Amino acid sequence: MAVIGELIKKAIDVYGFVTSEPDPAKAQREVLQNLLTKARLTAFGKKHNFTELLRSDDIVAAFQQEVPVHDYDKLHTDWWHYLLEGHQNVTWPGGQRYFALSSGTTSTSKAIPVTDDMIDAIRKSGIQQVMSLKNFDLPSDFFQKQILMLGSSINLIEKDDHEEGEISGISAANIPAWFRGYYKPGIEIASLTDWDEKVHQIAKEAPTWDIGSLSGIPSWIEMMLKEVVRYNRLSTIHDIWPNLHVYTSGGVAFEPYRKSLETLLARPLTYIDTYLTSEGYLATQKRPGTSSMALIVDNGIFFEFVPFVDENVDEDGRVKPGATILSLEQAEENVDYVLLISTVSGTWRYMIGDTVMLTDRQRAEIKITGRTKHFLNVVGEQLSVHQMNKAMQTMQKRFDMEIKEFVVSAIRKEGEHINKWYIGANKEVDGAEMAAALDSELCDNNKNYKVARSKSLKGVEAEVIPVEKFYRWSEEFKKLGGQAKIPRVMKEEDFLEFEQYIQSLA
């Protein structure tokens, strides 16, 4: 069997040798041309003159001039509701077999069309990720081990002419037959909709598996590993899975979870970030020595970048008419951008809701820095989630604690605005001491926040609570497991409801 692993590794090395990374700018122009060509006879393509755009000398500029920016509400109201009613050839040729129900940080679920072309694109992007493993120092036998993908249920919701579910469930339901021998927890357990039952069954079956790689959102992976360790009376997860080498996270900053996750391991893993959303597989980490991810520039997704400044984005996180919008080759490094995508699922200049920073333009590498609606700027703080995560890492070291989750809001107290934080951790810390340390850290690293503290932001409060209270809230009001994420920033009304629930817990 070790020979098989060596052969697979050599095949990956050969593939990497005979293929090279595409030129990002050229690849992106080709992707846009292919998108417009394939969608030119759809209702959307006819409305926006795709046939004429294809004749333009500057196809990118012509596309940007003709097609407006969309958020989910606009695309759904103007176009996607027809798909849900069974119409075809609306924003992409044909109809839709699947709709991905988003389960991120917004309170209202969204139904995102997932075409057959998108399923193919996700598979190809997955292959790119596998091929990039040649860049990491992994043993040969790793390539014959199983992969545990902890996602949402593959037991999809059946509608009249389509099925609905989270993108991880849709992707798992379409796993190629050749891959099923490697895939865990397997079809039967993956079909379970009850989170606790799914984790219990994984814990029972775990001794029969030889897991080499984990994939899933950090908080839920950690909860699953804890149950496997507890149920099987282990010291660490490596007692039962000695060949576990890789953990692939997705769409959530991993660093806040590293310390607590590694208490469950006998040794650190190779950590690889990916960027799989309800709208597509956008990026993956392709090399060690960086936490940045390479945009997948040659596989059905065209990227655009809107500088995340007040002139371009309104208070609700939407791109303003007339905003500056850049292509990948125009974007600059180390600047926060609102990300727009156009894809083979019929999303067009679509605000995915994330902000990103280009860290290496030549390699088309990015970091996720936050959410357009999860950027705290009620009274001029201008705090990104990226900055909040970095501050939390400092708090972990300062107080020798593990911070798993947090949420913040600008609320009014005695007629003045304050920032109120709830921090989910593994130990008790005095709230006033935490608030003072957090306030000082943010002042030192964000000049806009420091100015706001001297003027309109009159105070900072913090409460450190057991992280289990966050998960109980998620289970009751959102959902537990799968792709569900805890919001980092809430509007005042939502925050006060969250606070009321947290305070009601014993």
Side-chain angles (χ1 to χ4, degrees), residues 307-356:
F308 193 29
V309 294
D310 290 342
E311 302 91 272
N312 292 331
V313 182
D314 67 22
E315 61 183 10
D316 293 321
R318 295 187 178 92
V319 174
K320 294 178 181 178
T324 298
I325 303 179
L326 308 173
S327 65
L328 176 57
E329 61 183 312
Q330 295 169 325
E332 299 178 358
E333 295 178 359
N334 302 316
V335 175
D336 273 326
Y337 290 107
V338 177
L339 187 63
L340 305 181
I341 59 172
S342 300
T343 77
V344 291
S345 269
T347 63
W348 297 104
R349 308 198 78 199
Y350 178 82
M351 282 186 57
I352 198 169
D354 288 332
T355 59
V356 301

Side-chain angles (χ1 to χ4, degrees), residues 150-253:
L150 187 63
S152 57
S153 174
I154 66 171
N155 187 16
L156 306 177
I157 303 167
E158 294 188 5
K159 298 291 186 177
D160 290 339
D161 64 345
H162 66 269
E163 294 179 286
E164 297 178 351
E166 292 183 24
I167 191 64
S168 60
I170 294 171
S171 298
N174 285 276
I175 284 176
W178 63 267
F179 183 68
R180 290 180 183 173
Y182 295 92
Y183 167 64
K184 295 298 176 185
I187 300 299
E188 184 176 346
I189 295 177
S191 298
L192 296 173
T193 55
D194 182 85
W195 164 257
D196 292 328
E197 178 62 18
K198 179 183 290 186
V199 171
H200 178 66
Q201 291 300 321
I202 289 173
K204 285 178 62 177
E205 295 293 328
T208 67
W209 301 339
D210 188 4
I211 302 298
S213 177
L214 299 172
S215 177
I217 286 179
S219 55
W220 312 127
I221 285 286
E222 183 178 340
M223 292 173 69
M224 180 272 294
L225 291 179
K226 282 183 175 179
E227 178 59 17
V228 174
V229 168
R230 185 202 67 80
Y231 183 87
N232 293 284
R233 299 180 181 180
L234 311 173
S235 295
T236 75
I237 198 65
H238 280 110
D239 293 343
I240 201 169
W241 295 333
N243 296 304
L244 177 61
H245 290 286
V246 173
Y247 168 51
T248 301
S249 64
V252 176

